[in-house]
Amino acid sequence: MFVFLSVLAFFLSAAAAEAGWDFPPAPPPEEFGNLLIDRTSTKNKVKPVTFSHWSHRRKYTCEVCHSELDFAFKGNASEITEAENQAGKYCGACHDGKTAFGHDKPNCGKCHNGDRGYGKEKFAELASLPNSPSGNRIDWVRALEEKMIVPARFLKVKPRQGLPTRRH
């Protein structure tokens, strides 16, 4: 028992010492959750795609992109290609020139810019949403509950009636 308690004390003291780690600073709220998608872009001599979660989150639920459109939860794991986008898959489901700007030459730099902060000036549009102490400083659950945002739950595949829905 003494050996066990000694080993336990050693690991607890090591954990306490590690509590002083220097973590990198959190990104500014307007960049929190933004991704650079670069599975193939750099290899093809194109800048990585900037994806802003907050700009899409106010319009669509997580299920739209991560279930209906089949985006992986892990960065750079989805097999997105320009051809698939042009065929209306992935980003092309909305970025079709009707719902949102399309996949044409004049719009390439809106996504292929390699800048996680691209479009941050639009973050001010969310100033009226409830505050949160972490993340991008927006309480998305409260914004939903108070109907300050009403994101679409689907694009084309309507969820079956009677299935439980998540509150995010």
Side-chain angles (χ1 to χ4, degrees), residues 105-164:
K105 205 75 163 159
N107 291 314
C108 292
K110 290 181 179 179
C111 297
H112 285 279
N113 55 57
D115 178 6
R116 280 180 43 156
Y118 183 84
K120 65 184 174 187
E121 66 282 351
K122 294 179 184 175
F123 191 74
E125 295 171 8
L126 306 180
S128 63
L129 295 181
N131 290 324
S132 169
S134 60
N136 64 7
R137 309 283 189 232
I138 296 171
D139 186 338
W140 293 100
V141 172
R142 193 167 139 219
L144 282 167
E145 289 173 345
E146 295 180 12
K147 305 242 186 288
M148 298 174 85
I149 60 170
V150 184
R153 292 184 48 230
F154 65 95
L155 294 178
K156 297 177 184 164
V157 182
K158 188 173 182 177
R160 286 191 341 211
Q161 293 297 327
L163 290 178

Side-chain angles (χ1 to χ4, degrees), residues 30-93:
E30 65 274 8
E31 289 183 25
F32 192 90
N34 289 3
L35 307 171
L36 287 179
I37 302 171
D38 193 17
R39 192 180 60 77
T40 60
S41 297
T42 300
K43 286 189 273 187
N44 291 314
K45 297 181 174 55
V46 179
K47 289 183 181 179
V49 169
T50 299
F51 176 80
S52 172
H53 270 96
W54 60 261
S55 70
H56 291 81
R57 179 63 184 96
R58 64 186 177 162
K59 297 176 186 174
Y60 302 98
T61 62
C62 302
E63 288 91 353
V64 169
C65 296
H66 291 288
S67 292
E68 187 174 346
L69 298 180
D70 207 25
F71 279 97
F73 281 98
K74 183 179 178 186
N76 295 308
S78 298
E79 298 289 326
I80 306 165
T81 64
E82 183 60 23
E84 295 229 324
N85 281 325
Q86 293 286 351
K89 296 179 181 174
Y90 296 112
C91 307

